[in-house]
């Protein structure tokens, strides 16, 4: 068992372990992959894996968390490249595609509730806070309809998004387009914000996503650049 004192080297080793675990999970599924399999694939001892994660569930939870981070960071990059992606219907479209294009993440999210519950332990509060802040930003910038309570809008949107995620087949682009149209008609005002206000909303949304990704990756024991 090798204990690394350099935080960067430790993060790089954690990244290597997660890479191996992700590949094995994608090929064999959650229930068939063991810590021994991961250690062998990473070329390290089983005890070294336990220096990073105390249980199998914690390790695979970290794999799941990192996959979520990758999807969210892709969404952040899309907003920085095209500020209108911060609008709820465009946000939904981009995030759906970011998920379904990652087979492992989609597999996690569509697995049985017991499994997903184990792997998301500790994430729910942070992500709920992020989602709440995003909807507050949308409301502050006049994007959302004002005839429905904000919490009700957030709940209805989440139910809509999850429904599309579970129903989406291989026609991803078409389903994402349909989701965007559905979200826009149900939750948004007809007029979009002016460019200056849109820029403010995009920057604030990207900042929220950046903070979320950094916090989640820190929980995984890796850094964004590792």
């Amino acid at each position: 068992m090798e204990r690394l004192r350099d935080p960067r080297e430790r993060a790089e080793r954690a990244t290597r372990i997660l890479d191996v675990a992700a590949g094995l999970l994608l090929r064999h599924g959650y229930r068939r992959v063991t810590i021994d399999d991961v250690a062998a694939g990473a070329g390290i001892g089983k005890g070294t894996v336990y220096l990073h994660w105390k249980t199998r569930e914690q390790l695979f939870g970290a794999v799941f968390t990192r996959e979520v981070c990758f999807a969210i960071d892709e969404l952040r990059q899309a907003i920085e490249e095209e500020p209108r992606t911060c609008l709820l219907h465009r946000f939904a479209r981009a995030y759906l595609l970011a998920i379904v294009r990652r087979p492992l993440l989609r597999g996690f999210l569509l697995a049985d509730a017991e499994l997903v519950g184990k792997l998301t332990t500790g994430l729910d509060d942070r992500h709920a806070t992020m989602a709440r802040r995003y909807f507050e930003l949308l409301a502050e910038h006049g994007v959302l309809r004002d005839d429905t309570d904000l919490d009700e809008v957030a709940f209805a949107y989440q139910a809509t998004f999850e429904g599309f995620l579970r129903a989406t087949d291989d026609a991803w682009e078409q389903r994402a387009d349909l989701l965007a149209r559905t979200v826009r008609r149900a939750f948004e005002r007809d007029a979009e914000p002016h460019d200056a206000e849109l820029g403010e909303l995009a920057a604030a949304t990207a900042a929220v996503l950046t903070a979320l990704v950094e916090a989640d990756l820190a929980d995984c024991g890796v850094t964004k650049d590792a």
Side-chain angles (χ1 to χ4, degrees):
M1 249 185 336
E2 182 185 3
R3 295 183 180 273
L4 298 177
R5 296 184 180 275
D6 187 324
R8 184 168 184 83
E9 290 182 356
R10 182 178 175 83
E12 288 174 350
R13 186 173 67 186
T15 296
R16 186 169 78 253
I17 294 169
L18 291 176
D19 287 343
V20 170
L24 290 171
L25 288 167
L26 189 57
R27 289 196 296 274
H28 304 298
Y30 172 80
R31 303 189 188 284
R32 293 180 57 192
V33 179
T34 67
I35 293 290
D36 291 295
D37 297 329
V38 175
I44 58 178
K46 180 178 179 179
T48 301
V49 177
Y50 286 122
L51 290 176
H52 293 269
W53 299 280
K54 301 302 182 186
T55 67
R56 177 175 177 272
E57 287 72 23
Q58 286 182 5
L59 169 59
F60 296 150
V63 174
F64 172 81
T65 298
R66 195 177 65 152
E67 288 291 312
V68 173
C69 287
F70 288 159
I72 292 175
D73 198 53
E74 180 179 321
L75 183 56
R76 179 197 59 78
Q77 292 177 48
I79 291 171
E80 291 183 346
E81 292 170 5
E82 171 47 75
R84 281 181 170 74
T85 307
C86 70
L87 299 173
L88 186 59
H89 69 286
R90 291 174 177 257
F91 185 103
R93 182 185 189 281
Y95 195 29
L96 182 69
L97 289 174
I99 291 172
V100 298
R101 288 171 177 163
R102 288 177 168 78
L104 184 56
L105 178 55
R106 188 178 179 215
F108 274 137
L109 292 174
L110 297 182
D112 62 88
E114 180 184 0
L115 167 59
V116 174
K118 288 180 180 178
L119 298 182
T120 58
T121 300
L123 289 182
D124 290 348
D125 289 346
R126 182 183 298 151
H127 283 248
T129 299
M130 180 280 291
R132 174 70 187 186
R133 181 56 188 146
Y134 173 54
F135 276 91
E136 289 174 348
L137 287 169
L138 292 173
E140 290 167 9
H141 289 80
V143 174
L144 301 178
R145 296 169 54 126
D146 58 4
D147 57 353
T148 306
D149 179 80
L150 188 61
D151 289 333
E152 292 179 348
V153 172
F155 176 84
Y157 165 78
Q158 187 65 27
T160 302
F161 184 89
E162 291 180 1
F164 268 82
L165 177 62
R166 292 190 174 279
T168 294
D169 49 27
D170 290 340
W172 297 336
E173 293 282 348
Q174 295 92 319
R175 300 298 183 237
D177 288 341
L178 178 58
L179 172 62
R181 293 196 300 273
T182 301
V183 168
R184 184 167 192 179
R185 290 169 182 168
F187 306 119
E188 295 183 34
R189 293 179 176 177
D190 293 335
E192 293 185 359
H194 296 299
D195 288 347
E197 191 167 22
L198 184 65
E200 292 177 3
L201 174 59
T205 302
V208 168
L209 297 180
T210 297
L212 180 67
V213 167
E214 289 176 351
D216 283 352
L217 288 179
D219 281 352
C220 295
V222 301
T223 63
K224 189 174 177 182
D225 299 322

